[in-house]
Amino acid sequence: LGVIVDTGSSNFAVAATPNLALKRYFEFQSSSTFVNLQRTFSVRYAKGYWDGQLASDIFRIGSASLKGSARVQFAAIFKSNQFFVPYSHWQGILGMAYPSIAMPPYRPVQPVFNQFVSETGLPDIFTLTLCGPIIKHTQHFQIHDVNVGGMMTFGGIDHSLFSPPLFYTPIIKKWYYQVQLTGLAIAGRSLGFSCQEYDQYRTIVDSGTTAFRLPDPIFNRIVLFARQMTKVTVPNGFWEGREALCWEANNAQWDGFPYLEVSLNLDDVNKTNPDQDAQFTLMIAPQQYLRLAEHVTVHNSPCYGFGISRSQGNGIILGDVVMEGFTVIFDRANSRIGFAASKCATQNYQVKPLVLGPQLRGNNSCDVTGAQNGSPVAIIIGSVGAALFVIGFFMVMVVHLKVQSGRNDMRYVDPQEYRQQMQEAKLLQPTSSSHYDSPPSRPPPPSHGCEPQGAGPYPYYQAPSDDPPEYAETQ
Protein backbone atom coordinates (compact mmCIF):
# COMPACT_ATOMS: atom_id res chain seq x y z
CA LEU A 1 0.00 0.00 0.00
CA GLY A 2 1.07 3.58 -0.59
CA VAL A 3 0.66 6.08 2.25
CA ILE A 4 1.18 9.80 2.69
CA VAL A 5 4.00 10.42 5.16
CA ASP A 6 2.58 13.27 7.20
CA THR A 7 4.64 15.05 9.86
CA GLY A 8 1.61 17.24 10.60
CA SER A 9 -0.55 14.50 12.14
CA SER A 10 -0.08 11.45 14.36
CA ASN A 11 -2.58 8.78 13.29
CA PHE A 12 -1.85 5.84 10.97
CA ALA A 13 -4.86 4.87 8.88
CA VAL A 14 -5.37 2.85 5.70
CA ALA A 15 -8.36 2.12 3.48
CA ALA A 16 -9.84 -1.25 4.42
CA THR A 17 -12.91 -1.26 2.17
CA PRO A 18 -13.37 -0.64 -1.57
CA ASN A 19 -13.41 2.96 -2.73
CA LEU A 20 -14.04 4.13 -6.29
CA ALA A 21 -11.12 6.57 -6.01
CA LEU A 22 -8.63 3.85 -5.08
CA LYS A 23 -6.76 1.28 -7.08
CA ARG A 24 -6.21 -0.98 -4.07
CA TYR A 25 -6.95 -1.22 -0.37
CA PHE A 26 -5.96 -3.28 2.66
CA GLU A 27 -7.83 -6.59 2.44
CA PHE A 28 -7.89 -7.34 6.13
CA GLN A 29 -9.79 -10.60 5.62
CA SER A 30 -6.67 -12.03 3.96
CA SER A 31 -4.42 -11.18 6.90
CA SER A 32 -3.92 -13.97 9.42
CA THR A 33 -2.41 -11.49 11.91
CA PHE A 34 -5.15 -8.83 11.73
CA VAL A 35 -6.92 -8.09 15.04
CA ASN A 36 -10.04 -5.91 15.27
CA LEU A 37 -9.81 -3.99 18.56
CA GLN A 38 -13.50 -3.00 18.51
CA ARG A 39 -12.94 0.74 18.89
CA THR A 40 -14.38 3.15 16.36
CA PHE A 41 -13.40 6.79 15.95
CA SER A 42 -13.39 9.55 13.36
CA VAL A 43 -10.75 12.06 12.28
CA ARG A 44 -11.70 15.24 10.43
CA TYR A 45 -9.16 17.14 8.34
CA ALA A 46 -9.20 20.64 6.89
CA LYS A 47 -10.92 18.95 3.96
CA GLY A 48 -12.62 15.60 4.33
CA TYR A 49 -12.78 13.01 7.08
CA TRP A 50 -12.61 9.28 7.70
CA ASP A 51 -14.22 6.83 10.11
CA GLY A 52 -12.05 3.95 11.20
CA GLN A 53 -12.02 0.82 13.29
CA LEU A 54 -9.00 0.52 15.56
CA ALA A 55 -7.03 -2.59 14.68
CA SER A 56 -3.57 -4.07 15.00
CA ASP A 57 -1.36 -5.95 12.59
CA ILE A 58 2.27 -6.43 11.65
CA PHE A 59 3.93 -3.27 10.27
CA ARG A 60 6.98 -4.14 8.21
CA ILE A 61 9.72 -1.90 6.82
CA GLY A 62 12.71 -3.23 4.92
CA SER A 63 13.90 -6.82 5.16
CA ALA A 64 12.13 -9.11 7.64
CA SER A 65 15.48 -10.78 8.33
CA LEU A 66 16.67 -7.54 9.93
CA LYS A 67 13.69 -7.46 12.31
CA GLY A 68 12.25 -4.43 10.62
CA SER A 69 8.73 -5.22 11.78
CA ALA A 70 6.50 -4.73 14.80
CA ARG A 71 2.88 -5.18 15.79
CA VAL A 72 1.26 -1.74 15.76
CA GLN A 73 -2.19 -0.23 16.15
CA PHE A 74 -3.80 1.65 13.28
CA ALA A 75 -7.19 2.71 11.94
CA ALA A 76 -8.84 0.53 9.29
CA ILE A 77 -10.90 3.08 7.33
CA PHE A 78 -14.37 1.83 6.44
CA LYS A 79 -15.98 5.18 5.58
CA SER A 80 -14.59 8.47 4.24
CA ASN A 81 -15.56 11.63 2.43
CA GLN A 82 -13.24 13.88 0.39
CA PHE A 83 -10.21 12.23 1.94
CA PHE A 84 -8.86 9.97 -0.79
CA VAL A 85 -7.80 11.69 -4.01
CA PRO A 86 -8.76 10.17 -7.38
CA TYR A 87 -5.82 9.18 -9.62
CA SER A 88 -3.39 9.21 -6.68
CA HIS A 89 -1.49 6.12 -5.63
CA TRP A 90 -1.85 6.38 -1.87
CA GLN A 91 -4.36 4.46 0.19
CA GLY A 92 -3.66 5.78 3.65
CA ILE A 93 -1.83 8.24 5.85
CA LEU A 94 1.15 7.67 8.14
CA GLY A 95 1.18 10.37 10.81
CA MET A 96 4.71 10.95 12.14
CA ALA A 97 4.09 13.74 14.70
CA TYR A 98 3.99 13.43 18.50
CA PRO A 99 1.41 11.54 20.61
CA SER A 100 -0.07 14.77 22.02
CA ILE A 101 -2.00 15.41 18.79
CA ALA A 102 -3.04 11.80 18.16
CA MET A 103 -6.76 11.12 17.99
CA PRO A 104 -8.89 10.80 20.04
CA PRO A 105 -7.24 13.21 22.53
CA TYR A 106 -8.36 11.57 25.80
CA ARG A 107 -7.72 7.97 24.63
CA PRO A 108 -5.10 8.60 21.95
CA VAL A 109 -3.74 5.90 19.69
CA GLN A 110 0.02 5.83 20.01
CA PRO A 111 1.67 6.96 16.74
CA VAL A 112 3.13 4.12 14.72
CA PHE A 113 6.69 5.43 14.81
CA ASN A 114 6.55 5.59 18.61
CA GLN A 115 5.25 2.01 18.66
CA PHE A 116 7.94 0.93 16.20
CA VAL A 117 10.74 2.52 18.24
CA SER A 118 9.39 0.92 21.43
CA GLU A 119 9.00 -2.54 19.87
CA THR A 120 12.29 -2.73 17.95
CA GLY A 121 14.64 -0.50 19.94
CA LEU A 122 15.25 1.60 16.83
CA PRO A 123 16.76 5.06 17.58
CA ASP A 124 14.14 7.82 17.70
CA ILE A 125 15.07 9.56 14.45
CA PHE A 126 13.83 9.55 10.87
CA THR A 127 14.60 11.56 7.74
CA LEU A 128 12.68 12.68 4.67
CA THR A 129 14.23 13.55 1.32
CA LEU A 130 11.52 14.87 -1.01
CA CYS A 131 12.79 15.05 -4.57
CA GLY A 132 9.94 16.98 -6.18
CA PRO A 133 8.45 16.40 -9.63
CA ILE A 134 10.67 14.79 -12.26
CA ILE A 135 9.47 15.56 -15.79
CA LYS A 136 10.50 13.28 -18.61
CA HIS A 137 11.78 14.78 -21.86
CA THR A 138 8.98 14.12 -24.32
CA GLN A 139 7.90 15.91 -27.46
CA HIS A 140 4.35 16.26 -26.17
CA PHE A 141 4.15 16.77 -22.43
CA GLN A 142 1.60 14.64 -20.57
CA ILE A 143 0.87 14.72 -16.86
CA HIS A 144 1.71 11.01 -16.57
CA ASP A 145 5.26 11.94 -17.63
CA VAL A 146 5.71 13.31 -14.10
CA ASN A 147 7.01 11.24 -11.19
CA VAL A 148 7.25 12.44 -7.61
CA GLY A 149 9.70 10.55 -5.46
CA GLY A 150 12.08 10.61 -2.57
CA MET A 151 13.60 8.63 0.25
CA MET A 152 12.80 8.02 3.91
CA THR A 153 15.05 6.56 6.59
CA PHE A 154 14.06 5.11 9.95
CA GLY A 155 16.50 4.92 12.85
CA GLY A 156 19.40 7.02 11.62
CA ILE A 157 20.92 9.26 8.97
CA ASP A 158 22.13 8.17 5.54
CA HIS A 159 24.81 10.75 4.75
CA SER A 160 24.95 9.71 1.09
CA LEU A 161 21.58 11.41 0.51
CA PHE A 162 22.79 14.98 1.07
CA SER A 163 25.71 17.38 0.83
CA PRO A 164 27.12 19.32 3.81
CA PRO A 165 26.68 21.60 5.64
CA LEU A 166 23.96 20.20 7.88
CA PHE A 167 22.30 22.68 10.24
CA TYR A 168 19.82 21.95 13.03
CA THR A 169 17.01 24.04 14.49
CA PRO A 170 15.52 23.19 17.91
CA ILE A 171 12.05 21.68 18.24
CA ILE A 172 10.49 24.19 20.63
CA LYS A 173 7.31 22.24 21.31
CA LYS A 174 6.56 18.54 20.86
CA TRP A 175 3.09 18.30 19.35
CA TYR A 176 3.53 19.25 15.73
CA TYR A 177 7.18 19.80 14.82
CA GLN A 178 7.22 23.42 15.94
CA VAL A 179 10.34 25.46 15.22
CA GLN A 180 11.31 29.14 15.36
CA LEU A 181 11.26 31.16 12.14
CA THR A 182 13.68 34.09 12.42
CA GLY A 183 13.46 35.73 9.01
CA LEU A 184 12.09 35.78 5.48
CA ALA A 185 13.60 37.54 2.47
CA ILE A 186 13.25 37.65 -1.30
CA ALA A 187 16.43 38.03 -3.37
CA GLY A 188 18.29 39.26 -0.29
CA ARG A 189 15.65 41.83 0.67
CA SER A 190 14.21 41.20 4.14
CA LEU A 191 10.44 41.35 4.54
CA GLY A 192 11.12 43.60 7.54
CA PHE A 193 9.32 41.64 10.27
CA SER A 194 10.97 41.29 13.68
CA CYS A 195 11.53 38.07 15.61
CA GLN A 196 8.68 39.05 17.92
CA GLU A 197 6.34 39.42 14.95
CA TYR A 198 7.28 35.99 13.59
CA ASP A 199 7.00 34.46 17.07
CA GLN A 200 3.35 35.45 17.41
CA TYR A 201 2.67 32.81 14.75
CA ARG A 202 3.54 29.19 15.40
CA THR A 203 5.74 27.61 12.73
CA ILE A 204 5.67 23.88 11.96
CA VAL A 205 7.46 21.57 9.52
CA ASP A 206 4.67 19.61 7.80
CA SER A 207 5.22 17.14 4.96
CA GLY A 208 1.45 16.66 4.68
CA THR A 209 0.97 20.21 3.35
CA THR A 210 2.10 21.04 -0.17
CA ALA A 211 2.27 24.84 0.00
CA PHE A 212 4.32 27.24 2.08
CA ARG A 213 1.43 28.76 4.03
CA LEU A 214 1.61 32.15 5.75
CA PRO A 215 -0.72 34.48 7.67
CA ASP A 216 -2.12 37.45 5.76
CA PRO A 217 0.42 40.13 6.81
CA ILE A 218 3.42 38.00 5.82
CA PHE A 219 1.80 36.63 2.66
CA ASN A 220 0.85 40.13 1.46
CA ARG A 221 4.43 41.36 1.96
CA ILE A 222 5.85 38.39 0.03
CA VAL A 223 3.49 39.02 -2.89
CA LEU A 224 4.37 42.72 -2.89
CA PHE A 225 8.11 42.00 -3.05
CA ALA A 226 7.73 39.15 -5.54
CA ARG A 227 5.76 41.36 -7.95
CA GLN A 228 8.54 43.93 -7.86
CA MET A 229 11.37 41.44 -8.37
CA THR A 230 9.87 39.03 -10.90
CA LYS A 231 11.10 39.68 -14.43
CA VAL A 232 8.46 37.53 -16.11
CA THR A 233 4.98 38.78 -16.97
CA VAL A 234 2.46 36.83 -14.89
CA PRO A 235 -1.35 37.11 -14.79
CA ASN A 236 -2.88 39.09 -11.91
CA GLY A 237 -4.56 36.03 -10.42
CA PHE A 238 -1.33 34.04 -10.29
CA TRP A 239 -0.22 35.23 -6.86
CA GLU A 240 -3.56 34.34 -5.28
CA GLY A 241 -3.63 30.89 -6.87
CA ARG A 242 -6.42 31.66 -9.35
CA GLU A 243 -4.31 31.48 -12.53
CA ALA A 244 -1.33 29.45 -13.70
CA LEU A 245 1.74 30.04 -15.88
CA CYS A 246 2.26 27.69 -18.81
CA TRP A 247 5.59 27.18 -20.59
CA GLU A 248 6.93 24.73 -23.08
CA ALA A 249 8.41 21.80 -21.17
CA ASN A 250 11.98 22.66 -22.15
CA ASN A 251 11.64 26.46 -22.10
CA ALA A 252 10.76 27.32 -18.49
CA GLN A 253 11.74 30.86 -17.45
CA TRP A 254 13.05 30.10 -13.98
CA ASP A 255 15.66 32.86 -14.13
CA GLY A 256 12.87 35.42 -14.16
CA PHE A 257 11.89 34.62 -10.58
CA PRO A 258 13.85 35.44 -7.40
CA TYR A 259 15.03 33.05 -4.69
CA LEU A 260 13.04 32.93 -1.45
CA GLU A 261 15.09 32.90 1.77
CA VAL A 262 13.79 31.17 4.90
CA SER A 263 15.85 31.60 8.10
CA LEU A 264 15.52 29.36 11.17
CA ASN A 265 16.95 29.55 14.67
CA LEU A 266 20.25 27.65 14.93
CA ASP A 267 20.62 24.81 17.45
CA ASP A 268 23.50 24.93 19.92
CA VAL A 269 25.11 21.87 18.32
CA ASN A 270 26.08 24.06 15.34
CA LYS A 271 27.35 27.03 17.39
CA THR A 272 30.95 27.71 18.33
CA ASN A 273 29.64 29.88 21.19
CA PRO A 274 26.32 28.67 22.69
CA ASP A 275 25.63 32.15 24.10
CA GLN A 276 25.45 33.69 20.62
CA ASP A 277 22.15 34.12 18.77
CA ALA A 278 22.51 32.59 15.33
CA GLN A 279 20.47 31.28 12.42
CA PHE A 280 20.82 29.46 9.13
CA THR A 281 19.04 30.14 5.86
CA LEU A 282 17.32 27.88 3.33
CA MET A 283 17.43 29.28 -0.20
CA ILE A 284 14.23 28.21 -1.96
CA ALA A 285 14.58 28.11 -5.73
CA PRO A 286 11.75 29.14 -8.10
CA GLN A 287 11.52 25.49 -9.20
CA GLN A 288 10.36 24.73 -5.64
CA TYR A 289 7.74 27.41 -5.07
CA LEU A 290 6.31 27.27 -8.61
CA ARG A 291 4.21 24.11 -8.38
CA LEU A 292 3.33 21.88 -11.30
CA ALA A 293 -0.45 22.02 -11.84
CA GLU A 294 -1.65 18.43 -12.12
CA HIS A 295 -3.98 17.57 -15.00
CA VAL A 296 -3.59 21.11 -16.43
CA THR A 297 -1.76 21.66 -19.72
CA VAL A 298 -1.91 24.20 -22.57
CA HIS A 299 -0.91 22.93 -26.01
CA ASN A 300 0.79 19.97 -24.31
CA SER A 301 2.89 22.32 -22.18
CA PRO A 302 3.07 22.08 -18.36
CA CYS A 303 1.49 24.78 -16.20
CA TYR A 304 2.65 26.06 -12.81
CA GLY A 305 0.90 27.68 -9.86
CA PHE A 306 2.22 29.79 -7.00
CA GLY A 307 3.16 27.44 -4.15
CA ILE A 308 2.90 30.05 -1.41
CA SER A 309 -0.57 30.69 -0.01
CA ARG A 310 -2.53 32.21 2.85
CA SER A 311 -2.86 30.07 5.96
CA GLN A 312 -6.24 31.60 6.85
CA GLY A 313 -5.18 31.44 10.47
CA ASN A 314 -2.32 32.09 12.84
CA GLY A 315 0.04 29.34 11.73
CA ILE A 316 3.08 29.23 9.45
CA ILE A 317 3.51 25.94 7.60
CA LEU A 318 6.84 24.91 6.11
CA GLY A 319 5.29 22.45 3.67
CA ASP A 320 6.69 20.54 0.72
CA VAL A 321 7.55 23.78 -1.08
CA VAL A 322 10.22 24.37 1.57
CA MET A 323 11.16 20.73 2.22
CA GLU A 324 11.74 19.66 -1.39
CA GLY A 325 15.36 19.88 -2.39
CA PHE A 326 16.53 19.22 1.16
CA THR A 327 17.10 16.20 3.35
CA VAL A 328 15.11 16.98 6.50
CA ILE A 329 16.23 15.12 9.63
CA PHE A 330 13.68 14.69 12.41
CA ASP A 331 16.06 13.99 15.30
CA ARG A 332 13.45 13.43 17.99
CA ALA A 333 15.97 11.94 20.40
CA ASN A 334 17.77 15.32 20.55
CA SER A 335 14.69 17.53 19.98
CA ARG A 336 15.93 19.11 16.76
CA ILE A 337 15.32 19.17 13.01
CA GLY A 338 18.19 19.27 10.52
CA PHE A 339 18.35 20.60 6.96
CA ALA A 340 20.94 19.86 4.27
CA ALA A 341 20.91 20.15 0.47
CA SER A 342 19.87 16.77 -0.91
CA LYS A 343 21.28 14.95 -3.93
CA CYS A 344 17.91 14.28 -5.54
CA ALA A 345 16.99 15.15 -9.09
CA THR A 346 14.18 17.69 -9.13
CA GLN A 347 12.63 17.84 -12.60
CA ASN A 348 14.63 17.79 -15.82
CA TYR A 349 16.92 20.71 -14.97
CA GLN A 350 19.51 21.36 -12.30
CA VAL A 351 17.82 23.13 -9.41
CA LYS A 352 20.07 24.55 -6.70
CA PRO A 353 18.56 24.74 -3.22
CA LEU A 354 21.17 26.25 -0.92
CA VAL A 355 21.87 26.10 2.80
CA LEU A 356 23.74 29.14 4.17
CA GLY A 357 25.14 29.67 7.65
CA PRO A 358 25.76 29.95 10.41
CA GLN A 359 24.74 33.62 10.53
CA LEU A 360 25.09 35.58 13.76
CA ARG A 361 22.28 37.76 15.10
CA GLY A 362 22.29 40.67 17.53
CA ASN A 363 20.92 40.11 21.02
CA ASN A 364 17.14 39.75 21.07
CA SER A 365 17.07 40.56 17.39
CA CYS A 366 16.67 38.72 14.12
CA ASP A 367 19.04 41.08 12.32
CA VAL A 368 22.04 39.27 10.83
CA THR A 369 25.31 40.86 12.00
CA GLY A 370 27.78 38.52 10.35
CA ALA A 371 28.19 35.19 8.61
CA GLN A 372 30.42 32.17 8.76
CA ASN A 373 30.73 29.46 6.15
CA GLY A 374 28.38 31.47 3.98
CA SER A 375 29.33 29.92 0.67
CA PRO A 376 26.39 28.35 -1.14
CA VAL A 377 25.96 24.60 -1.20
CA ALA A 378 24.62 23.45 -4.56
CA ILE A 379 22.50 20.37 -4.84
CA ILE A 380 24.11 17.46 -6.68
CA ILE A 381 21.94 15.76 -9.24
CA GLY A 382 21.98 12.04 -8.66
CA SER A 383 19.93 8.89 -8.56
CA VAL A 384 19.52 7.15 -5.25
CA GLY A 385 18.07 3.63 -5.22
CA ALA A 386 16.25 1.87 -2.41
CA ALA A 387 18.74 0.22 -0.09
CA LEU A 388 19.33 -0.87 3.47
CA PHE A 389 22.18 0.85 5.27
CA VAL A 390 23.93 0.01 8.53
CA ILE A 391 25.54 3.03 10.20
CA GLY A 392 27.52 2.44 13.39
CA PHE A 393 25.56 0.09 15.61
CA PHE A 394 22.04 1.01 14.56
CA MET A 395 19.91 0.11 11.62
CA VAL A 396 18.80 2.63 9.01
CA MET A 397 15.84 1.70 6.86
CA VAL A 398 15.55 3.46 3.52
CA VAL A 399 12.23 3.34 1.72
CA HIS A 400 11.22 4.63 -1.70
CA LEU A 401 8.45 7.23 -1.60
CA LYS A 402 7.33 7.11 -5.20
CA VAL A 403 4.10 8.41 -6.65
CA GLN A 404 3.13 8.45 -10.30
CA SER A 405 0.32 10.61 -11.58
CA GLY A 406 -1.80 9.59 -14.51
CA ARG A 407 -5.38 8.81 -15.43
CA ASN A 408 -4.41 5.87 -17.63
CA ASP A 409 -3.13 3.89 -14.66
CA MET A 410 -6.28 4.25 -12.56
CA ARG A 411 -8.47 1.18 -12.39
CA TYR A 412 -12.12 1.73 -11.59
CA VAL A 413 -14.01 -1.06 -9.89
CA ASP A 414 -16.83 -2.65 -11.85
CA PRO A 415 -20.14 -1.69 -10.12
CA GLN A 416 -21.21 -5.31 -9.65
CA GLU A 417 -17.77 -6.24 -8.32
CA TYR A 418 -17.88 -3.19 -6.08
CA ARG A 419 -21.22 -4.21 -4.54
CA GLN A 420 -19.88 -7.69 -3.85
CA GLN A 421 -16.76 -6.29 -2.22
CA MET A 422 -18.84 -3.94 -0.08
CA GLN A 423 -20.87 -6.90 1.18
CA GLU A 424 -17.63 -8.54 2.28
CA ALA A 425 -16.43 -5.25 3.80
CA LYS A 426 -19.41 -5.17 6.15
CA LEU A 427 -17.35 -7.48 8.32
CA LEU A 428 -15.43 -4.36 9.36
CA GLN A 429 -18.48 -2.22 10.12
CA PRO A 430 -19.11 -1.58 13.84
CA THR A 431 -21.46 -4.03 15.53
CA SER A 432 -23.24 -4.06 18.84
CA SER A 433 -20.05 -5.45 20.38
CA SER A 434 -17.95 -2.56 19.07
CA HIS A 435 -16.87 0.11 21.52
CA TYR A 436 -17.70 3.61 20.28
CA ASP A 437 -15.23 5.95 21.85
CA SER A 438 -17.07 8.68 23.70
CA PRO A 439 -15.76 11.43 25.94
CA PRO A 440 -15.49 10.76 29.67
CA SER A 441 -18.16 12.24 31.91
CA ARG A 442 -16.87 15.70 32.61
CA PRO A 443 -17.81 19.29 31.78
CA PRO A 444 -17.15 20.22 28.15
CA PRO A 445 -14.04 22.31 27.46
CA PRO A 446 -14.47 26.05 26.91
CA SER A 447 -15.78 26.96 23.49
CA HIS A 448 -13.39 28.70 21.10
CA GLY A 449 -16.11 29.81 18.75
CA CYS A 450 -16.00 26.75 16.54
CA GLU A 451 -18.10 23.83 17.66
CA PRO A 452 -17.20 20.42 16.22
CA GLN A 453 -19.55 18.78 13.81
CA GLY A 454 -20.16 15.07 13.63
CA ALA A 455 -18.83 12.88 10.85
CA GLY A 456 -21.79 10.65 10.14
CA PRO A 457 -23.12 8.84 13.22
CA TYR A 458 -19.65 8.40 14.69
CA PRO A 459 -17.97 10.60 17.28
CA TYR A 460 -15.87 13.51 16.08
CA TYR A 461 -13.00 14.70 18.24
CA GLN A 462 -11.34 18.06 18.33
CA ALA A 463 -7.59 18.34 18.20
CA PRO A 464 -5.76 18.76 21.51
CA SER A 465 -6.21 21.81 23.69
CA ASP A 466 -3.92 24.85 23.59
CA ASP A 467 -5.79 26.30 20.61
CA PRO A 468 -4.03 24.55 17.73
CA PRO A 469 -3.72 26.95 14.81
CA GLU A 470 -5.42 26.60 11.44
CA TYR A 471 -2.59 24.47 10.13
CA ALA A 472 -3.75 21.58 12.28
CA GLU A 473 -4.70 18.94 9.74
CA THR A 474 -6.97 17.40 12.36
CA GLN A 475 -8.90 20.47 13.45
Side-chain angles (χ1 to χ4, degrees):
L1 295 176
V3 294
I4 291 178
V5 179
D6 182 15
T7 61
S9 67
S10 297
N11 287 86
F12 178 35
V14 296
T17 59
N19 187 304
L20 293 176
L22 300 180
K23 182 179 180 181
R24 60 178 65 90
Y25 61 95
F26 173 49
E27 300 181 26
F28 64 95
Q29 302 97 327
S30 301
S31 173
S32 61
T33 53
F34 176 83
V35 177
N36 189 334
L37 299 179
Q38 304 297 331
R39 278 182 60 191
T40 302
F41 64 101
S42 176
V43 172
R44 182 175 294 274
Y45 296 81
K47 180 180 180 181
Y49 71 88
W50 54 256
D51 296 334
Q53 191 82 294
L54 186 65
S56 76
D57 211 330
I58 304 301
F59 178 79
R60 181 170 291 115
I61 292 289
S63 172
S65 63
L66 292 177
K67 299 181 180 180
S69 63
R71 176 169 286 278
V72 301
Q73 295 183 358
F74 65 99
I77 299 174
F78 61 84
K79 179 183 177 183
S80 64
N81 182 40
Q82 292 186 309
F83 177 68
F84 296 109
V85 180
Y87 316 119
S88 67
H89 284 206
W90 56 269
Q91 299 84 37
I93 185 168
L94 178 60
M96 298 292 290
Y98 288 100
S100 58
I101 63 169
M103 291 297 174
Y106 49 84
R107 287 190 64 193
V109 179
Q110 194 77 347
V112 160
F113 189 64
N114 290 63
Q115 298 179 59
F116 201 76
V117 168
S118 177
E119 285 279 330
T120 65
L122 203 67
D124 196 5
I125 181 174
F126 68 92
T127 75
L128 286 175
T129 301
L130 306 183
C131 297
I134 305 167
I135 304 178
K136 299 177 183 177
H137 290 275
T138 57
Q139 183 176 1
H140 300 289
F141 172 82
Q142 298 291 333
I143 195 66
H144 61 254
D145 292 330
V146 180
N147 289 339
V148 180
M151 302 292 287
M152 182 179 187
T153 70
F154 279 8
I157 303 172
D158 177 11
H159 292 267
S160 70
L161 296 178
F162 60 87
S163 300
L166 166 62
F167 292 116
Y168 287 96
T169 187
I171 298 172
I172 62 177
K173 185 176 180 181
K174 296 180 179 180
W175 56 333
Y176 305 91
Y177 291 99
Q178 185 175 342
V179 297
Q180 184 182 22
L181 179 71
T182 57
L184 288 173
I186 294 183
R189 180 183 176 188
S190 170
L191 296 191
F193 293 101
S194 67
C195 266
Q196 291 73 21
E197 289 174 292
Y198 286 121
D199 282 346
Q200 68 178 309
Y201 308 107
R202 286 168 284 189
T203 302
I204 67 167
V205 181
D206 180 10
S207 64
T209 297
T210 300
F212 180 22
R213 303 187 68 181
L214 299 163
D216 282 348
I218 302 176
F219 176 80
N220 293 337
R221 190 77 58 86
I222 277 189
V223 170
L224 175 65
F225 284 18
R227 286 179 183 271
Q228 297 172 355
M229 299 181 185
T230 298
K231 303 174 184 178
V232 176
T233 302
V234 299
N236 291 330
F238 172 78
W239 305 108
E240 292 285 349
R242 297 191 302 268
E243 297 181 81
L245 288 175
C246 302
W247 296 313
E248 293 181 3
N250 299 320
N251 192 32
Q253 302 177 47
W254 306 118
D255 292 340
F257 290 86
Y259 267 73
L260 172 67
E261 303 171 25
V262 179
S263 297
L264 299 171
N265 188 33
L266 188 68
D267 189 76
D268 287 346
V269 70
N270 294 122
K271 297 178 182 177
T272 54
N273 182 354
D275 295 328
Q276 291 179 325
D277 291 323
Q279 67 184 27
F280 65 95
T281 298
L282 306 175
M283 304 290 286
I284 311 300
Q287 291 92 328
Q288 292 171 258
Y289 67 77
L290 298 181
R291 305 298 298 178
L292 189 67
E294 291 194 57
H295 310 300
V296 178
T297 61
V298 174
H299 303 301
N300 293 321
S301 297
C303 297
Y304 298 86
F306 192 42
I308 304 173
S309 63
R310 302 180 188 274
S311 64
Q312 300 176 346
N314 59 353
I316 297 174
I317 311 176
L318 306 183
D320 296 342
V321 162
V322 175
M323 296 177 67
E324 285 179 0
F326 302 101
T327 291
V328 185
I329 299 169
F330 294 82
D331 185 355
R332 294 153 48 111
N334 294 295
S335 302
R336 63 193 186 188
I337 297 179
F339 289 83
S342 76
K343 296 180 180 179
C344 280
T346 55
Q347 300 194 8
N348 60 344
Y349 41 72
Q350 186 173 12
V351 59
K352 296 181 179 179
L354 313 173
V355 183
L356 305 181
Q359 301 156 332
L360 303 182
R361 303 197 313 268
N363 293 332
N364 301 318
S365 169
C366 285
D367 295 330
V368 177
T369 59
Q372 305 170 31
N373 300 328
S375 58
V377 180
I379 192 169
I380 300 176
I381 298 299
S383 176
V384 183
L388 192 66
F389 296 90
V390 177
I391 298 180
F393 296 99
F394 55 84
M395 182 169 54
V396 180
M397 299 174 184
V398 183
V399 184
H400 265 300
L401 307 174
K402 183 175 182 181
V403 177
Q404 294 177 335
S405 300
R407 295 172 182 263
N408 296 335
D409 196 40
M410 173 54 62
R411 171 182 172 268
Y412 284 97
V413 179
D414 176 82
Q416 183 174 354
E417 178 188 359
Y418 179 74
R419 285 192 294 269
Q420 180 180 353
Q421 291 174 337
M422 287 304 295
Q423 288 296 323
E424 298 174 356
K426 286 184 178 179
L427 295 173
L428 193 62
Q429 297 283 348
T431 65
S432 58
S433 62
S434 297
H435 173 70
Y436 287 82
D437 274 351
S438 52
S441 299
R442 62 183 181 186
S447 173
H448 297 289
C450 181
E451 296 302 324
Q453 298 178 358
Y458 309 107
Y460 160 64
Y461 303 107
Q462 285 184 298
S465 57
D466 199 15
D467 297 331
E470 178 271 340
Y471 57 60
E473 292 290 339
T474 47
Q475 294 183 344

